Amino acid sequence: MSVAQKVKLLEKLDSGVSVKHLTEEYGVGMTTIYDLKKQKDKLLKFCFGRDEQKLMQNIKHCIGFQP
């Protein structure tokens, strides 16, 4: 699962999409979703860090930017 998919999954989870629906949509188990939820802050810091240059690189990586 890519970082972009993980972020999207967490966004859907926060918006009220059920864990069961997400397990079916992403083909992962409930444990994976709960683990991602626990690591949400760490994952988002990786994607949207404070250093501006790193931020741009990480955003491209997190959203799956393909030049």
Side-chain angles (χ1 to χ4, degrees), residues 34-66:
Y34 288 119
D35 287 344
L36 287 173
K37 187 176 177 180
K38 286 180 192 175
Q39 297 176 3
K40 178 182 175 181
D41 290 340
K42 186 177 178 180
L43 181 64
L44 294 178
K45 280 182 185 178
F46 170 77
C47 285
F48 306 107
R50 294 179 189 256
D51 181 20
E52 222 171 284
Q53 189 171 16
K54 283 184 181 178
L55 173 66
M56 292 310 296
Q57 291 173 343
N58 288 341
I59 287 174
K60 288 178 185 177
H61 178 73
C62 288
I63 61 173
F65 178 75
Q66 307 242 347

Side-chain angles (χ1 to χ4, degrees), residues 6-19 22 26 33-34 36-41 43-44:
K6 292 175 183 178
V7 170
K8 191 68 173 169
L9 183 150
L10 289 169
E11 288 174 357
K12 289 180 179 183
L13 188 62
D14 286 345
S15 71
V17 177
S18 72
V19 172
L22 293 171
Y26 288 89
I33 293 176
Y34 288 119
L36 287 173
K37 187 176 177 180
K38 286 180 192 175
Q39 297 176 3
K40 178 182 175 181
D41 290 340
L43 181 64
L44 294 178

